[in-house]
Amino acid sequence: MTEDQTIVAGVRDEPLSVDEALAAVSHPRAGAVTLFVGTVRDHDGGRDGVTRLDYSAHPDAEARLRELASAVAEPEEVRGVYAVHRVGQLDVGDLAVVCAVSADHRGLAFEAGRRLIEDLKKGIPIWKRQQFDGQDHEWVGL
């Protein structure tokens, strides 16, 4: 990470903002910004009827997310990295995760943005309890 880069990484129980993410990674040298917005959907794993998700995170999740964001920001041409995941009860349509990466050129912005969300989903200890129609539920990511 250079002095000229911005990194925002966190786990929050408040609603997320795409505008906040875009503002955080804004930089005069950035010619590209990639944005990923993960929303709560009404189905999962071939099963309809998801009514809400309850996200929870390990106490180390935020620190590990900061480490990931810093690793994504290693190339000097990456100007900003933003990765914030929500915890708590979310309804269908709510934003669950917002990631943004700015870079000098689109190729690096796309590459870094994809790495950010893929590694977040694989390696950050955040789990969800899916509530279905009726009283049925299941845990995902444990």
Side-chain angles (χ1 to χ4, degrees):
M1 181 177 154
T2 69
E3 206 174 279
D4 197 30
Q5 292 172 310
T6 300
I7 296 177
V8 176
V11 176
R12 298 185 186 159
D13 61 1
E14 302 108 22
L16 304 181
S17 167
V18 170
D19 290 337
E20 177 186 316
L22 292 173
V25 300
S26 177
H27 191 283
R29 296 192 62 83
V33 175
T34 58
L35 177 68
F36 175 83
V37 179
T39 58
V40 177
R41 60 182 181 250
D42 67 357
H43 65 281
D44 189 49
R47 185 172 174 193
D48 290 331
V50 173
T51 57
R52 76 166 194 265
L53 299 179
D54 295 300
Y55 279 102
S56 56
H58 188 277
D60 294 339
E62 191 165 295
R64 290 183 54 188
L65 190 53
R66 272 192 232 103
E67 290 171 7
L68 170 59
S70 293
V72 169
E74 283 179 4
E76 185 176 312
E77 298 83 9
V78 170
R79 302 300 171 174
V81 177
Y82 180 99
V84 179
H85 203 295
R86 185 138 176 234
V87 293
Q89 183 175 312
L90 283 74
D91 295 319
V92 172
D94 285 347
L95 305 185
V97 61
V98 176
C99 295
V101 174
S102 63
D104 289 3
H105 301 284
R106 71 178 172 270
L108 180 56
F110 275 116
E111 178 184 313
R114 181 165 189 106
R115 176 182 175 200
L116 180 61
I117 188 58
E118 295 298 337
D119 288 357
L120 185 158
K121 297 304 278 182
K122 281 190 290 189
I124 305 302
I126 297 174
W127 311 283
K128 65 182 175 183
R129 180 182 182 271
Q130 297 187 131
Q131 183 67 45
F132 290 91
D133 292 343
Q135 298 302 316
D136 192 21
H137 69 272
E138 68 181 3
W139 282 94
V140 178
L142 291 178

